[in-house]
Amino acid sequence: MSQNSTPAVLLDLDGTLVDSVFQHVLAWGEALHEAGYDVPLWRIHQGIGMGSDRIVPWLVGGHVDDASELSDAHKRRFLERADTLRPTRGARNLLDDLDTRGVPFLIATSAGAETRAALLDALGRDDLPTADNDDVDSSKPAPDLLLSACAALGVEPQNATLVGDSPWDAEAARRVRVRAIAVRCGGHGEELLLSHGAMSVVADPAELIGRL
Amino acid sequence: MSQNSTPAVLLDLDGTLVDSVFQHVLAWGEALHEAGYDVPLWRIHQGIGMGSDRIVPWLVGGHVDDASELSDAHKRRFLERADTLRPTRGARNLLDDLDTRGVPFLIATSAGAETRAALLDALGRDDLPTADNDDVDSSKPAPDLLLSACAALGVEPQNATLVGDSPWDAEAARRVRVRAIAVRCGGHGEELLLSHGAMSVVADPAELIGRL
């Protein structure tokens, strides 16, 4: 088997390995309200999974001058809740399973450094290989991060599987023929995930042990 | 038209008129974690809308001795977040619309007195007619509260319409042939709401103005 046909796994972090989506929703809700934008929480939930550069214009319906202040306020309010973060069901066992079976994998997250550190801390695994999103031009649902992760692993996109919880993960994967498996533990419905390009939907990482 | 054929509207409060579901999710998550139960937040979200007597056994998978302590801890943690509660889009205008058009309505909520007061305060309407849930034996998805509200309004259930955001509202309504209209602003997917018995699904109360 050549290096390029080796299968590999890309793992989203927020909502997929760590139960963090509802905290993100309230953190964005508070940050937006403080800045004078009242956005319904269910709409914020639908936007989680996009990069923070994209979610703000998507939620407020256009360009905003204070996007980076908003993003900072969200980060601060999210990190205040870091003690409530827990791994999703089966997340740690899935990582052990991939290690044991020698399946190459990378964490593919748009989260910034501080948020990523808090998530990995909640997961109890600060040793995980993580795709570098610093040189990525465009965040999910753009596929740039997935392509960069595939390149780092030395796999062709069509041999990679992304596990993610949001419609934006599925959409990013579809654009570059990465297979997307969606987990429901980020709170999205099965139909929504399938309609955005997920090949299959499971409850949480526990259902994927031994199957990736 | 006899009194019994007059149409009437029953309005759920949490998640329907007030954007409160995500706060409930985190409040339950923290209360359960403190008591030693780790329940994924997306599962808690799916349970919101049941009475608090029902959600605890549903979430932990059986009877628990400390259910009332859990319920108190949830209430306390929810009320700590009361300053983040806002009306859902169109909620206040829908109430004005019903008033103006003389449509009889009642708030039908399983929320206890303190939570209800916080929700009505967020809505800026402490004068709303509310179904009395103190004599109701069994909470949603049991239809008892809806039957008691219909009786208080003097309408037959088949002439009443319930507006609610959760699958449990729709299910309670279906059991007694109350027409259920679901709003998506509690964060549930359209398919889930329809599969539990909603006759139609709209985004939020704004879409119902002039239509009830």
Side-chain angles (χ1 to χ4, degrees):
Chain A
M1 210 182 257
S2 78
Q3 185 194 28
N4 280 355
S5 65
T6 308
V9 173
L10 312 178
L11 297 166
D12 173 55
L13 187 53
D14 261 313
T16 300
L17 299 180
V18 181
D19 194 355
S20 59
V21 168
F22 290 81
Q23 291 89 334
H24 274 301
V25 170
L26 290 189
W28 275 118
E30 290 169 16
L32 287 161
H33 177 74
E34 258 183 356
Y37 304 98
D38 275 319
V39 183
L41 298 177
W42 72 289
R43 289 287 295 157
I44 297 176
H45 181 221
Q46 293 187 323
I48 302 292
M50 283 193 256
S52 66
D53 54 324
R54 288 182 180 260
I55 190 174
V56 173
W58 189 81
L59 287 173
V60 307
H63 171 79
V64 294
D65 288 331
D66 51 354
S68 82
E69 287 84 351
L70 267 167
S71 186
D72 285 347
H74 156 258
K75 181 180 76 178
R76 198 169 57 246
R77 290 183 169 277
F78 178 76
L79 292 173
E80 284 167 10
R81 296 174 157 91
D83 64 322
T84 69
L85 298 173
R86 324 258 174 252
T88 55
R89 200 174 67 100
R92 286 202 271 226
N93 291 343
L94 177 63
L95 293 166
D96 292 343
D97 172 62
L98 295 174
D99 277 335
T100 306
R101 292 164 52 232
V103 179
F105 70 91
L106 268 187
I107 304 295
T109 174
S110 315
E114 282 176 85
T115 301
R116 188 167 47 190
L119 295 166
L120 292 174
D121 189 55
L123 196 51
R125 292 284 302 262
D126 54 8
D127 59 331
L128 294 176
T130 303
D132 186 2
N133 62 7
D134 294 340
D135 334 312
V136 164
D137 280 336
S138 202
S139 67
K140 295 178 200 167
D144 304 29
L145 180 66
L146 305 187
L147 291 175
S148 144
C150 287
L153 286 168
V155 295
E156 295 294 333
Q158 62 268 30
N159 292 322
T161 300
L162 170 69
V163 181
D165 70 301
S166 83
W168 315 111
D169 291 309
E171 205 168 307
R174 177 164 61 182
R175 292 194 195 176
V176 288
R177 299 175 178 251
V178 164
R179 180 168 174 251
I181 298 180
V183 288
R184 294 202 53 203
C185 47
H188 294 289
E190 187 168 354
E191 295 78 9
L192 182 76
L193 295 164
L194 291 171
S195 73
H196 280 257
M199 307 282 285
S200 59
V201 180
V202 299
D204 49 38
E207 291 194 21
L208 295 173
I209 293 166
R211 291 176 54 194
L212 289 177
Chain B
M1 209 183 254
S2 78
Q3 185 193 28
N4 280 354
S5 65
T6 307
V9 172
L10 313 178
L11 297 165
D12 174 54
L13 186 54
D14 261 314
T16 300
L17 298 179
V18 181
D19 195 355
S20 60
V21 168
F22 290 80
Q23 291 89 333
H24 274 301
V25 170
L26 289 190
W28 274 117
E30 290 169 16
L32 287 161
H33 178 74
E34 257 183 356
Y37 304 98
D38 274 319
V39 183
L41 298 176
W42 72 289
R43 289 287 296 158
I44 296 175
H45 180 221
Q46 293 188 322
I48 302 292
M50 285 194 255
S52 65
D53 55 324
R54 287 182 180 259
I55 191 174
V56 173
W58 188 82
L59 287 173
V60 306
H63 171 80
V64 292
D65 287 331
D66 50 355
S68 82
E69 287 84 350
L70 267 167
S71 186
D72 285 347
H74 156 259
K75 182 180 75 180
R76 196 169 59 247
R77 289 184 168 278
F78 178 77
L79 293 174
E80 285 168 9
R81 295 175 160 90
D83 64 324
T84 68
L85 298 172
R86 324 256 175 256
T88 55
R89 201 174 68 101
R92 287 202 272 227
N93 291 342
L94 177 63
L95 293 165
D96 292 342
D97 172 63
L98 295 174
D99 277 335
T100 307
R101 294 164 52 230
V103 179
F105 70 91
L106 268 187
I107 304 294
T109 175
S110 315
E114 282 175 87
T115 301
R116 189 166 47 190
L119 295 166
L120 293 173
D121 188 54
L123 195 53
R125 292 285 301 261
D126 54 9
D127 59 330
L128 294 175
T130 302
D132 187 2
N133 61 8
D134 294 342
D135 338 312
V136 164
D137 281 336
S138 203
S139 68
K140 294 177 201 167
D144 303 30
L145 179 66
L146 304 188
L147 292 175
S148 144
C150 287
L153 287 168
V155 295
E156 296 294 334
Q158 61 268 31
N159 292 323
T161 299
L162 171 69
V163 181
D165 70 300
S166 84
W168 316 111
D169 291 310
E171 204 168 307
R174 176 164 62 182
R175 292 193 196 176
V176 288
R177 298 175 180 250
V178 165
R179 179 168 175 252
I181 297 180
V183 287
R184 295 202 53 204
C185 47
H188 294 289
E190 186 167 355
E191 295 77 10
L192 182 77
L193 295 163
L194 292 170
S195 73
H196 280 258
M199 308 281 285
S200 59
V201 180
V202 298
D204 48 39
E207 291 194 21
L208 295 173
I209 294 165
R211 292 176 54 193
L212 290 177

